[in-house]
Structures are given as C-alpha cells and as structure tokens.
C-alpha cells in the first residue's frame, strides 16, 4: 500500500461483501491491514528559547521516540521563517528526490530548492536574485534582519542525524546562541528516510538586561521610634529578559527586630519581562535618633545596588511653660550638659557647611548657639534614648496582659510660693505640642484628691503640631495647715513618654517684727513732741498690710456704750482732741524682706504719766503686734512770790510806788515769760501765726522747737512780710481801680452789666505761697526724720509735705514746712534734691592682693554701666592738675612733706656714723600731715546726721600751673581734703549711674579704715552702697603669685627670644665665594669686610659672656656645696654635745 500524501503508520479496516448470484445469501468478510512507515514521536513540536542575554547560550532537550516497528534513520536541516511568525505544528513533508540536505556542521546543499513555504517564511515569493542572496558562499542560509549571521551561528541540533531502533528513544539537544540583539524564528526539519518529515519550530531572541528601581534612597522622615514603619520599592524589568534578584545585607526574619531592616521577599525572586516586583521594607528604629540604614539588591550578574533608608525616630511630646525640676543626683544636669555638647557639635558642622556656601554673617550668628527650647528637646530625646537602650522586665496587669513601660521625662515644677492661709490662688499653664504629629494626653487627677491642688485639664485628643492648650491649676489652702504642701500629678501621653507635674506651695500668714516694742519717751514739755523712729521688718515671703487705726468693729463696740444723743458730740470731741501717741504713717504695707522706718510721736497735753498700748493689726493674720509707749508730760511753771499786789495810797503827781515780785522757775529748763497786755511783739507774732498756713484738724501748727527768748523762725517772718507787702499792693490796686470806676461812671453814666472788679478778683484768688526757690508743682511727697531708735524734740507732728513736680527739685512748701526742713538739715536746693533722688549703684571692693579686685570691678562696671575709681588715681590727678581748692591744699601738703624729707635726708648724710636702715639708707621718710580740720571722723553713717551735700555736678577746669616741674611725693592728707577731692570726682557726669571703687588701699589715707571713712563720707546719702570683701587662703594666694610670676617670666623669655632672633637675623652674613667677592666694587668690598668683622666680634663677645656665665654658675654651685657641708658639720657637732 502506498500513499504519497501520508507517510505515517496506520491500520486500515474494511469489510468484504460476498454475494451469490441468484442466491440471496450474503457473506461478510472483515478485512484488516497495517501500513508501516518509519515514524517518530517528539515530546515538543514548538521550542521557544525566549529572550536570553546577549552572548550567552541556551539549550532545550527533546525526547524522540521510534513508534514504528522499523529502524528509523533521520537527519536534520532548517527552514527559515519570518521572526514572530505564528508557527504550525510539525507535519510530514514529502521527500524530494532532487533535494538532499545534509547537516554536518554546515548546510551541504546540492541543489538550490525552496518551497513556497520557505519563501513565505521570508515574506512571500522571492525573486531569483533575492533567492540567491539567501545563501552564503558556503551554502548557508542567512537572515537579512540579523546582521548577516548564518543559521549555524544561531541554532544548533545534536545529533544532526542518527538511527533509532523500534521502540527506542533518543534525546535531541536544541541550542540557541544569543548574539547581540538578534531575533530569530526558524523551522528545524527532521527528515526520516522512507518516512515523513517532521517540523520543529525554533524561536529565540537575545538582548541586554534592563532594570531599574523606583528609588535608591527612601527618606521616611519623622517616624515613631517604637513602632514598625513599612514602605516599599519596586524592581522594574524594563527589558525582554526575565531576571532574578537577591536581597543582601538583611536579616532572614519574618518578624522585624529593633534596629534591623526586614525586606519581603528576602530571598531570590524572578521578575518577568516588562513587569515589576514589589519589595516591602519594614523597620523599627528602637531609639529616638536619626538613622541611615542600607541593604543591597543584586540583579542577575550585575553588581549589587545599594538601597538607603533614612529618617529620624521621634516620639509624641508636649511642653509646659514651666521650669524643670532638677533631681538631687544631678542626672538631669548631666543630660543637659550632654545635650549642649551634642547640639554644639551639630551646630558647628552646620556652621562650617554654611561658611562653605558663603552664607551671610548675620545668619551665621543666629545658628552659632542652641536655643533653650532646642536644648530641652535634645535632653528629652537623650532621656528617651537611655530608656530605650535599657532592658526592662516584663510586667503584667491583673488580666495577664503585658504592660507597656514608658520612659519618664524630667518633671515640671509649679511653685506657688508663699500663699496666705485662706486665700485661693490659681495659675494658667500653657501646653504646646512641640512634636511632629497629633498628640493626645491626659493627667491622672485621682492622685491629688484632698491635697488642696486642682488641675483643670481633662483628656485632650489629637492636638495638632504647634497648637497650644491652656488650663489652670488652683490651690485652695482653706483646709490645710501652715507649712509646705506638695503634690505630683502624672501626665500620660499616648504613644510617648510620660512626665509629672510637681506642685508645691508654702502656706503661711503675714507677719512683721519691730526693732523695739517698748518705747520710753521720758520727760517731754507740753506743747512739744518727741519722735522715736523704729523699724518694721517683714521677714516672711508674703506682703504684709498693717494698720494702727482703730477698726470699724471697735468703733461700733465703743459707741454702743454711749447714748445716742451724745454720740455726735463725743465723735466731734475726739476728732478735735489731739492724740498723745501717734504712728507716722498709721498704716502701710511691706513687701517680702522689706524694712520700713516708722515714727512714734509723743505729744503730751498735761503734766501726767502716760502709758498706752498701740495695737498694730496685720491683715489676714491672727498674730497681734503692739507697741507699749510711755512718757511724762512736763508743763512750764513759774512761782510768783506774790499772787496779789496791793499798793498804798499815794499822792497825785508823785513819783509813784514800787513793789518787787520774785519769780522762780522750778522747771529744769528755761521758761520764757511775757505780758499779754503790754508785750507788743507778742501781738505781732500772734498775727504772723494766724496768717501762716499748715494747721491740722486739731488747730495745731508744727514749728521747730523755740528756745526761751528767741523769736519765731525767720522763714515765717519773711513769708509774713512778703504777704503783707502783697496785701498792701493789692489794696492799693483795688483802691485805684475803684477811683477809675467812679471817674468812668461820672463820664459815662450809662449802666453796664455786673462784673467783678479787678480788686475782687485778686482778693478772691490770692497767689499761692512759694518756697525760697520759687518752684511750684502739683504732686505731694512726705519727708520725715529717720533717727534709728533715737529721740528728736521738735514741734508736734514733724511731717514735711513737699510739692514735687515732674522735674526733680520742683516743690512748693509753706513757711512752716520750710522752717522744719531747715531745722532738720534737709537741703532744699535743686542740686541737693537731685542728688537725693539719684539711684546710683555704688560698690566698694576690698580685699588682699591677688584676689581679683580689678577683674570684679571691670565685670560690675560692664554689667551696670558704672565708672571705676581708684583712690590714689583720683588724688594724684587732683594734686598734679590742682583741681579745686582741695587739690591746691593737697599739693601744698605734698610739697611740705617733700621738703621735710629732703631736709632729713641731708641731715642724715651729714652724720658720719649712720647705721644702715636708720636714716641714710632708709631714703625718704613719710611725714604724717594733718589738715586744718583734724578731729575725730565718723566711722559709720548715722541716720541722725545731716547728710553731706555733694558738690555741683559739673567738671571743674584744671588750674594751670607749673605741673611739668612738680614731683609727686605721696603723704598722709587730712580727711576733709580727701573727702572734698573724692566728692568732686564722683559728682562728674560719668558717675551718675554708679561708682565702683577698685580697692581701698591708698598712700594718702591712714590705713584701710581711714580710706573707708573717706569713701563713705564722700558718698553721703546715696541710697545704694554695697561692700564686696574678697577673701582667699594663703595657699590660693601663693598659687596665684607663682602663676603670675611664671607668666611674667614666660613673657620676658618670649621677648628676649624675639630680641635674640632679631639680633641673629641682623648678624646673618651671606658669605661670598672668591669669584663673587672679586666681582664686587671697592666700596662694596669694604662694606662687606666691615660687616663680616662686626659679626665675628659679636660672636666672640657672646662666647666670652657665655663662658663668664658658666664660670659664675660653677662658682655659685661650689659655694653652695661648701655651705651645705658646713651646715651638716655644724648639725653633727651640735648633736654630739649632749653625748659629751
């Protein structure tokens, strides 16, 4: 059987029908036959190599089985198809007798033959010329689209031919060689001898690997340090070749660990062509700090790519506008120091970066030092970091669940200070979210129930970054005892560290102390008053309001005992009756630590013994303070020998009669006596007193004490005369105005509207009294005497009311007040008032040498803008320049002392047997000079003494003289002269803000005590005077002295070294060769020879000096050794004496 179209083995069946002629019987014979061809069976009929890497090889293996009962002989050859063409399954190709293709490493084509299918594989029917170009010189098929490569360079089949026994199988290897960027699609034909042809479609492509990452650096920004942050990157396969990647440098853990990166997938994974793969990255920072992690991803055979993950671990935080509570162990202080160093390091790096970028200088100064807020935030970060690095035991709650432990930051402190018992106080607190995300927090107020503190803050949810929340903290001490009370309320921050708010308050009551609580005024004349000044001191930390006036309750209680019809009469009588004892001022308040001088005035009305208790009520305090005052009133008395005088009858026009009356003064003080009817001076004084202003409600006028026989104060008399002259002038002007009005009425009798006359206007508005200086003002101040626990006898109620205006020195006072001020020695000039109101800062620095007095003086001067003064410098300047009268006197005293010293030196030189150290060798001897004043000086400033009035605040001109020939010779000067010189210096304009005295050592004063007296007298009544006494031990002084001497020695050595180097440079000579020397001119040769000789002489001189110095040192060493041996021998002899 032969079918040219089908060469496959198959079985054929048929049925043969046998009929009999003229017989109905029919027989059926089944026919069956088997057609056998040599056939093969292939596992795959389509092999796609895919896209492989350029210049690589890829192989596929196909099992071929002989399914026939015949031995099969086969061989392979190729048919080229168009790339990307859809291939059909292999089908048998009929054998052609005229086409024989063998594949023995290359095509061996005996006859050029192409089928339509082959032509279609290249794009249709081909022309003869095109068909000839399909084969190369060796007969190999070429592809015009693949750079002229032959098929054998692209595909290969092993074995190319062979024999397969029936039922056996054989493995055929198909190989594809990936040349650069090639794309092939061919058909491999397996021709079976005596059988069909089988087609296997081969397709392959070669290319490069192209891949990319979505990012090589991922900045996570601000993330919570204790939570897992997840991100991802994508690996893109941008090429045709499937690739594999592998993650390197990460832990192979499915659960992320603290501080380590976790990448999913962490093992090798494929990425198909033109697709992507997502890598999930998980990271838990573990500590609040900046992090920069990296891992590597190796794609195919390329070098691994580095993927960086950076960010900063943060935590939710809030900030209170309160100070931190420092622990006793100093842990928080150490953390602050570490935070400061860390910030300085980062700021220096930032500063260097900004300098390299040429940033403006003002921006550089702003970033030089960290701010307080940055320092506090860095300290919190370090505390949380320390907590995170520690290992904490696991704690369980009541239900067995793990309790998440939190870091505890430094506590905040809210100190209410000293609170008066029964007074509720509150304070507003501002909470700021200084973190980078919303924060929720709440205080645990259950722990402070019953403590007196109340925190008005409930749970706050999702407070945005930078936003603020205000709440109040109240302290109610009504049910608490006196003392210190404190409470701690914790604040829980969701997801962040916790902190506590420490609240404390000191419950106290106002109190004050008196320097004296019992005062004995002794004997005081009636009509005069005695004032004793005592001091109140508030030693508590709360203000103290006090009052000595009777309270309203006491007045009501007293009025209940008086009938209603007499109450008004009694009240009026009490108002008109002056009090015997009175406090000035009667009420006031003292700030914490403040002192106040109060005056207790005693004004007796009768000659009796007075004893009274003055209560002082303190507001909001149960303590009662009282002053016990006592005194005796003494009335001036005169005893007359006759109380009734009766004369005998006398004749008219006679000389009259006389009788003597003896007047005796039994009082211990003089008493003035005058006649009310006959003394005209008394009437004038009464008129002056009636016209004087300044009477109080009781009709009492305060005047200076009047001695017996003296008149009224001249200030009152002068004011009365001025007022009298003004009154006469006003009366004359009024009379003149009336006359002019009468003349006008006569000339013009027509009526005019009523208007006040000029005289009436002037009388109705008299001019106000002015002081001697003539200044007027509107505001009032009170100036009172301030003797500390001493008595001054003045007229009642010594209280001076000054009318002080806007400018210093402007005041308006009545004559009585001016008289009292003059009596007390209170200066009323504008300059004196300006100095009294000046608030300069005066510091006197004293101490032994090398204690840093000058350094402290400079620091204080820079801080308070004061002037630095040294006593000797001021006095030397005044003496040399003859500043003022005191400077001239001081210069004369120095001249006298110099002359005396010169005479003593001359006398000492004339004596032949002068002993060393007594005169001739002593040189000049300081003579103690005393001024005209002499006397004893005051050691301390007394409050009774009248303060010295500093001179005018103007710089005096320097008196011209022969200052060039003057030789300054310091000597002891009179205290009065020194006070004037220093007072003149401190009155200059540069001392208005304060003075710093750099030491009290002076060659013109009698020791430190004398210098201190001079300074205090010169300062006068300046209010702020401080003394700074610097002390140090002997060891410190010796150490400073040695360091100072070493510094001076080092400086001297440096100067000598620089001088020696300069001299050596001058002596350096550049020696010339003979040719160079011969080339010089004669003058140059002579100059060169002189220079060389000078250098040689200097070198020889230095060598001799060095030799002399060595000999001197050697001689000193020998002498020291001799003395040391002599001392040892002496010690040995003295030790042997007791033995002998």
């Amino acid at each position: 059987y032969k079918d040219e179209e089908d060469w496959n083995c198959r079985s054929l069946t048929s049925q043969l029908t046998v009929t009999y002629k003229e017989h109905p019987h029919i027989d059926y014979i089944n026919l069956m036959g088997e057609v056998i061809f040599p056939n093969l069976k292939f596992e795959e009929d389509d092999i796609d190599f895919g896209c492989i890497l350029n210049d690589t090889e890829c192989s596929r293996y196909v099992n071929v089985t002989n399914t026939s009962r015949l031995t099969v002989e086969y061989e392979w050859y190729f048919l080229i198809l168009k790339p990307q063409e859809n291939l059909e399954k292999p089908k048998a190709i009929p054998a052609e007798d005229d086409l024989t293709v063998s594949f023995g490493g290359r095509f061996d084509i005996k006859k050029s033959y192409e089928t339509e299918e082959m032509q279609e594989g290249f794009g249709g029917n081909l022309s003869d010329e095109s068909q000839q170009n399909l084969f190369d010189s060796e007969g190999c098929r070429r592809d015009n689209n693949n750079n002229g490569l032959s098929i054998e360079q692209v595909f290969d089949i092993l074995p190319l031919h062979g024999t397969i026994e029936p039922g056996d199988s054989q493995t055929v290897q198909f190989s594809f060689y990936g040349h650069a960027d090639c794309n092939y699609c061919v058909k491999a034909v397996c021709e079976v001898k005596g059988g069909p042809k089988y087609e296997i479609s081969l397709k392959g492509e070669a290319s490069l690997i192209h891949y990319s990452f979505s990012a090589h650096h991922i900045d996570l920004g601000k993330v919570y340090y204790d939570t897992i942050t997840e991100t991802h990157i994508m690996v893109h396969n941008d090429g045709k070749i499937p690739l594999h990647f592998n993650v390197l440098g990460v832990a192979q853990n499915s659960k992320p660990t603290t501080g380590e990166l976790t990448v999913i997938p962490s093992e090798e994974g494929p990425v198909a062509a033109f697709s992507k793969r997502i890598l999930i990255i998980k990271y838990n920072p573990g500590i609040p700090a900046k992090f920069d992690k990296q891992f590597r991803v190796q794609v195919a055979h390329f070098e691994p790519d580095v993927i960086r993950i950076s960010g900063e671990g943060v935590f939710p935080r809030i900030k209170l506008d309160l100070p931190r509570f420092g622990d006793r162990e100093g842990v928080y202080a150490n953390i602050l120091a570490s935070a400061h160093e860390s910030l300085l390091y980062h700021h220096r790096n930032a500063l260097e970066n900004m300098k390299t970028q040429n940033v403006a200088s003002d921006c550089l100064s702003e970033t030089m030092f960290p701010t307080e807020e940055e320092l506090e935030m860095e300290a919190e970060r370090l505390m949380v970091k320390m907590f995170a690095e520690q290992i904490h035991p696991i704690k369980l709650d009541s239900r067995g669940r793990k309790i998440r432990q939190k870091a505890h930051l430094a506590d905040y402190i809210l100190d209410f200070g000293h609170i008066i018992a029964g007074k509720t106080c509150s304070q507003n607190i501002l909470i700021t979210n200084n973190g980078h995300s919303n924060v929720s927090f709440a205080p645990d107020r259950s722990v402070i129930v019953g403590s007196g503190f109340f925190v008005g803050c409930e749970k706050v949810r999702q407070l945005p970054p930078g936003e603020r929340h205000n709440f109040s903290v109240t302290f109610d001490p009504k049910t608490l005892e006196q003392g210190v009370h404190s409470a701690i309320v914790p604040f829980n921050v969701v997801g962040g560290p916790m902190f506590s708010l420490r609240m404390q308050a000191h419950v106290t009551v106002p109190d004050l102390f008196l320097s004296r609580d019992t005062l004995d005024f002794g004997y005081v004349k009636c009509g005069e008053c005695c004032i004793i000044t005592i001091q109140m001191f508030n030693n508590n930390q709360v203000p103290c309001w006090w009052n000595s006036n009777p309270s309203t309750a006491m007045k009501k209680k007293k009025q209940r005992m008086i009938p209603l019809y007499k109450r008004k009469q009694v009240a009026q009588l009490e108002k008109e009756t002056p009090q015997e004892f009175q406090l000035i001022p009667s009420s006031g308040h003292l700030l914490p630590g403040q002192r106040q001088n109060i005056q207790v005035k005693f004004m007796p009305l009768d000659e009796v013994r007075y004893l009274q208790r003055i209560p002082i009520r303190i507001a909001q305090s149960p303590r009662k303070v009282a002053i016990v005052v006592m005194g005796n009133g003494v009335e001036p008395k005169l005893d007359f020998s006759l109380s009734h005088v009766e004369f005998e009858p006398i004749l008219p026009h006679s000389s009259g009669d006389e009788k003597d009356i003896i007047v005796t003064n039994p009082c211990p003080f003089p008493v003035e006596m005058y006649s009310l009817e006959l003394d005209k001076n008394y009437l004038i004084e009464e008129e002056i007193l009636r016209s004087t202003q300044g009477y109080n409600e009781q009709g009492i006028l305060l005047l200076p004490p009047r001695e017996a026989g003296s008149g009224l104060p001249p200030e009152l008399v002068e004011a009365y005369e001025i007022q009298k002259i003004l009154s006469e002038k006003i009366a004359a002007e009024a009379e003149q105005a009336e006359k002019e009005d009468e003349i006008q009425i006569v000339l013009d009798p027509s009526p005019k509207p009523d208007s006040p006359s000029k005289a009436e206007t002037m009388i109705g508005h008299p001019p106000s009294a002015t002081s001697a200086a003539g200044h007027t003002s509107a505001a009032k101040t009170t100036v009172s005497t301030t003797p500390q626990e001493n008595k001054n006898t003045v007229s009642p109620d010594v209280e001076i009311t000054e009318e002080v205006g806007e400018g210093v020195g402007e005041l308006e006072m009545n004559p009585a007040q001016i008289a009292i001020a003059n009596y007390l020695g209170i200066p009323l000039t504008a300059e004196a008032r300006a100095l009294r109101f000046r608030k300069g800062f005066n510091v006197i620095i004293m101490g032994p040498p090398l204690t840093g007095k000058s350094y402290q003086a400079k620091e204080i001067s820079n801080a308070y803008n004061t002037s630095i003064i040294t006593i000797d410098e001021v006095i030397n300047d005044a003496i040399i320049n003859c500043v003022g009268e005191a400077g001239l006197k001081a210069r004369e005293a120095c001249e006298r002392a110099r002359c005396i010293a010169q005479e003593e030196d001359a006398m000492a030189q004339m004596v032949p047997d002068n002993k060393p150290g007594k005169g001739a060798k002593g040189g000049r001897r300081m003579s103690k000079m005393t001024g005209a004043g002499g006397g004893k000086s005051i050691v301390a400033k007394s409050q009774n003494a009248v303060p010295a009035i500093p001179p005018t605040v103007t710089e005096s001109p320097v008196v011209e003289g022969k200052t060039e020939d003057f030789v300054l010779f310091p000597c002891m000067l009179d205290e009065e002269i020194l006070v004037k010189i220093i007072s003149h210096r401190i009155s200059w304009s540069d001392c208005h803000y304060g003075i710093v005295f750099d030491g009290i050592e002076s060659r013109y004063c009698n020791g430190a005590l004398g210098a201190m007296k001079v300074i205090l007298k010169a300062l006068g009544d300046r209010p702020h005077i401080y003394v700074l006494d610097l002390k140090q031990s002997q060891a410190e002084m010796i150490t400073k002295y040695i360091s100072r001497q070493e510094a001076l020695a080092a400086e001297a050595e440096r100067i000598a070294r620089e001088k020696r180097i300069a001299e050596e440079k001058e002596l350096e000579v550049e020696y010339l060769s003979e040719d160079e020397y011969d080339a010089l001119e004669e003058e140059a040769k002579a100059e060169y020879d002189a220079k060389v000789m000078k250098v040689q002489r200097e070198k020889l001189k230095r060598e001799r000096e060095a030799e002399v110095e060595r000999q001197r040192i050697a001689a000193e060493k020998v002498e020291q050794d001799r003395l040391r041996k002599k001392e040892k021998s002496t010690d040995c002899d003295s030790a042997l004496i007791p033995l002998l």
Side-chain angles (χ1 to χ4, degrees), residues 732-802:
E733 291 178 354
E735 184 179 356
Q736 183 66 23
E738 289 179 359
K739 292 181 179 180
E740 292 178 356
D741 291 342
E742 292 177 357
I743 295 173
Q744 186 68 23
I745 291 172
V746 173
L747 297 178
D748 188 7
S750 58
K752 293 184 177 180
D754 297 337
S755 62
S757 63
K758 183 178 180 181
E760 292 176 354
T761 304
M762 297 182 66
I763 293 174
H765 302 279
S768 59
T770 59
S771 64
H775 300 290
T776 60
S777 179
K780 294 185 178 182
T781 61
T782 301
V783 180
S784 57
T785 58
T786 58
Q788 179 67 26
E789 301 181 3
N790 289 290
K791 298 189 294 182
N792 287 335
T793 304
V794 295
S795 293
D797 197 5
V798 180
E799 183 175 353
I800 304 171
T801 303
E802 295 183 355

Side-chain angles (χ1 to χ4, degrees), residues 872 875-880 890-891 894-895 898 924 963 965-971 1003-1004:
D872 283 355
I875 298 174
N876 291 340
D877 182 70
I879 292 174
I880 294 174
R891 180 164 181 164
C894 291
E895 287 285 351
R898 185 170 63 84
R924 297 178 181 175
T963 59
D965 301 335
F966 177 72
V967 178
L968 186 63
F969 188 86
C971 64
R1003 297 176 294 177
Y1004 300 96

Side-chain angles (χ1 to χ4, degrees), residues 100 123 200 220 245 324 395 452 473 522 553 623 676 735 788 802 915 997 1001:
T100 301
I200 302 296
L220 299 179
F245 66 89
R324 294 284 187 176
K395 295 184 179 180
V473 178
R623 185 171 180 268
L676 299 179
E735 184 179 356
Q788 179 67 26
E802 295 183 355
K915 294 183 179 181
F997 287 90
E1001 299 82 4

Side-chain angles (χ1 to χ4, degrees), residues 127-146:
S127 61
D128 297 338
E129 182 180 357
S130 299
Q131 293 178 7
Q132 292 177 2
N133 294 332
L134 292 175
F135 298 92
D136 57 6
S137 59
E138 298 179 352
C140 295
R141 171 74 69 176
R142 291 185 179 275
D143 188 357
N144 295 333
N145 297 328
N146 292 286

